[in-house]
Amino acid sequence: MTFFASLPHDAGVRHILGLNPRAGRALIEFHSAVLRQDTALTAPHKELLAAYVSGLNACAYCHGVHRQTALAFGVEESLIEQLLDDLDSAPVEPKLRPLLAYARKLTLEPSKMVKTDAQAVFEAGWSERDLHDAVLTIGLFNLMNRLLEGHGVKGQDHLYKDRGAALARDGYAPLLAHLPAPPSK
């Protein structure tokens, strides 16, 4: 059950974004710009970060959806939970480990970020643009987690699977069709 009487009991992101369609459109376009513009940090990497950040924040909806999206991109099924249990022992490629450590610290202790956190990412072979895209992804999902939790939207397993498959297949732009058209000028 959501906290807002105007939202359906099975509300999802599109329902929340429909409360302010102009902001909703901008947020969906931001998702596309951040999550589907590949550099060395690919869409599967970004979806893994989204699921990881959402798991750290215990956001059931975002964790569920983006876990399924990451799985649809070929991320190993047990990896996300292993990362949440113990990042240091999770079977992740060495290049990803400092990026995931950066995500964890930026999510849980943002005021404690220091230059050496970024340096570890660069030393692993990521560029400034890659880290910038990771920071955008991490920040976006900290926002989205709070947006969902603040509206009381939790979701259900069948929704996670459906949305995750659709996001992997079609990206974020199709969500725009669920919002009211912008007013004509």
Side-chain angles (χ1 to χ4, degrees), residues 45-114:
H45 291 131
K46 292 173 187 177
E47 292 294 344
L48 175 63
L49 281 171
Y52 182 56
V53 166
S54 298
L56 291 171
N57 284 322
C59 178
Y61 185 99
C62 292
H63 179 71
V65 169
H66 294 283
R67 179 180 180 278
Q68 290 296 323
T69 309
L71 295 177
F73 275 123
V75 172
E76 187 67 34
E77 186 164 5
S78 62
L79 178 59
I80 297 166
E81 299 313 313
Q82 290 175 332
L83 288 170
L84 291 169
D85 289 340
D86 183 10
L87 173 60
D88 294 330
S89 67
V92 64
E93 64 181 276
K95 185 176 179 178
L96 275 178
R97 195 171 305 283
L99 196 60
L100 291 161
Y102 199 96
R104 180 179 183 83
K105 189 171 182 181
L106 186 55
T107 296
L108 300 177
E109 303 176 296
S111 66
K112 294 183 179 178
M113 298 300 298
V114 293

Side-chain angles (χ1 to χ4, degrees), residues 14-37:
R14 70 176 187 263
H15 299 101
I16 293 170
L17 298 182
L19 295 172
N20 181 338
R22 185 172 178 199
R25 287 184 170 287
L27 195 50
I28 291 169
E29 290 170 0
F30 187 68
H31 274 75
S32 292
V34 170
L35 300 170
R36 293 302 184 264
Q37 302 297 316

Side-chain angles (χ1 to χ4, degrees), residues 113-181:
M113 298 300 298
V114 293
K115 188 174 184 172
T116 56
D117 297 317
Q119 194 59 41
V121 173
F122 300 141
E123 288 172 4
W126 298 101
S127 70
E128 285 188 4
R129 171 64 192 270
D130 298 328
L131 181 55
H132 173 72
D133 286 352
V135 169
L136 288 173
T137 302
I138 296 160
L140 174 60
F141 280 91
N142 276 289
L143 166 68
M144 292 305 295
N145 297 163
R146 283 143 184 84
L147 188 67
L148 274 289
E149 293 297 327
H151 286 85
V153 173
K154 302 294 184 187
Q156 301 167 3
D157 286 339
H158 70 85
L159 176 128
Y160 305 152
K161 289 179 183 177
D162 291 345
R163 287 300 316 135
L167 289 174
R169 182 184 61 246
D170 305 322
Y172 292 84
L175 291 172
L176 292 169
H178 296 283
L179 296 176

